[in-house]
Amino acid sequence: MAANSKEYEINVDPRILELLGPNLYTNIYYVLAELIANAYDADAKNVYIISDKDSIIVEDDGHGMSYSKGDIKKFLNVAGVSRTNENDSQTRSGSRMKMGRKGVGKLAALSVSEAVDVLTITNGDKSGFVLARKPADPSNPNKLKPIDDADISFKYITEQGTSIVMKSPQYRLHITLSAVKRNLLKIFPLVSKDFRIHVIRGKEIEVIESFDDKIMNEL
């Protein structure tokens, strides 16, 4: 499907995004925890938190979202009911219990940035749109700005996954990555060799895949 034929529409009053976005979270680590939980629910094995001067990116190698199969429409169904039976409580692989609950965690990134790029790929199918506090087209406020396939790129994933790009972030990560690690583990402890969190700033990389004794003592 051609990029210019894709339309993205969010099914919530746009005024909610403007009011709720900057007030949903005031702690960057709670925002990151929501996005990491989404990656966990997508059966990702790796989540990359990439911090630079212009953005904070949360990228995962989960299933990604298909436009044609309705994954993105479901994603944009804010606070929609996603669990109607026991099977719905499990991730697609069946190996994890879903963490996301209310469906509003996807709006968490708007607490950090006024505009957020959502990029995704699955089975070679790329899709992207801009989630913003204020509508791109006031005459059609529920319609989101699409991102052309040619402009969709990822830092670490290749075959499938999703990237949330928080541009011009209002909050920043701690100056030391060891402190970032501690803060993330306090909120999101479900790390393992099957679910790694990579925190990246320039040439610095901190991989979180377990609780070490030092962290356990601090927590």
Side-chain angles (χ1 to χ4, degrees):
M1 183 178 292
N4 56 10
S5 68
K6 294 178 179 177
E7 294 186 352
Y8 305 94
E9 192 163 314
I10 193 164
N11 73 335
V12 67
D13 190 324
R15 291 173 295 182
I16 295 295
L17 300 185
E18 187 172 357
L19 293 171
L20 188 62
N23 299 305
L24 190 58
Y25 297 96
T26 57
N27 184 318
I28 181 65
Y29 297 100
Y30 285 108
V31 173
L32 294 177
E34 289 284 1
L35 300 178
I36 292 168
N38 287 347
Y40 185 89
D41 288 352
D43 288 313
K45 293 185 180 300
N46 297 279
V47 182
Y48 304 90
I49 300 174
I50 307 149
S51 177
D52 60 35
K53 66 175 183 176
D54 298 319
S55 65
I56 297 175
I57 301 171
V58 178
E59 184 171 296
D60 71 70
D61 60 2
H63 296 300
M65 294 182 285
S66 168
Y67 184 91
S68 60
K69 293 181 179 179
D71 296 335
I72 292 176
K73 184 176 181 179
K74 185 177 180 181
F75 177 87
L76 293 174
N77 182 20
V78 177
V81 177
S82 62
R83 301 183 191 181
T84 57
N85 56 56
E86 187 175 345
N87 289 336
D88 290 336
S89 295
Q90 295 181 326
T91 62
R92 190 186 302 182
S93 69
S95 62
R96 297 174 180 172
M97 298 299 292
K98 290 181 180 178
M99 297 194 68
R101 297 181 300 277
K102 301 295 186 182
V104 296
K106 64 195 70 174
L107 303 181
L110 290 176
S111 297
V112 179
S113 298
E114 293 186 2
V116 176
D117 290 351
V118 179
L119 314 172
T120 189
I121 182 172
T122 183
N123 296 324
D125 177 22
K126 290 181 177 180
S127 299
F129 54 89
V130 181
L131 191 60
R133 294 178 191 170
K134 295 184 179 181
D137 180 4
S139 66
N140 192 356
N142 289 85
K143 192 172 183 180
L144 305 180
K145 179 182 177 182
I147 298 174
D148 193 270
D149 287 3
D151 296 325
I152 296 174
S153 62
F154 303 91
K155 299 289 187 180
Y156 289 91
I157 64 173
T158 54
E159 297 181 358
Q160 62 183 31
T162 299
S163 181
I164 308 296
V165 183
M166 295 169 276
K167 299 175 287 187
S168 302
Q170 296 173 220
Y171 302 105
R172 285 292 180 181
L173 302 182
H174 194 278
I175 193 170
T176 64
L177 296 193
S178 59
V180 174
K181 177 179 180 178
R182 288 195 302 272
N183 288 328
L184 286 175
L185 283 174
K186 289 176 184 177
I187 300 171
F188 195 95
L190 294 181
V191 292
S192 69
K193 291 187 177 180
D194 292 322
F195 188 72
R196 295 182 171 95
I197 301 174
H198 308 251
V199 185
I200 302 158
R201 181 191 283 128
K203 295 182 179 180
E204 290 183 277
I205 300 178
E206 179 83 49
V207 180
I208 311 171
E209 61 181 11
S210 66
F211 279 100
D212 55 42
D213 292 338
K214 181 180 178 182
I215 293 292
M216 281 295 289
N217 289 334
E218 290 182 5
L219 297 183

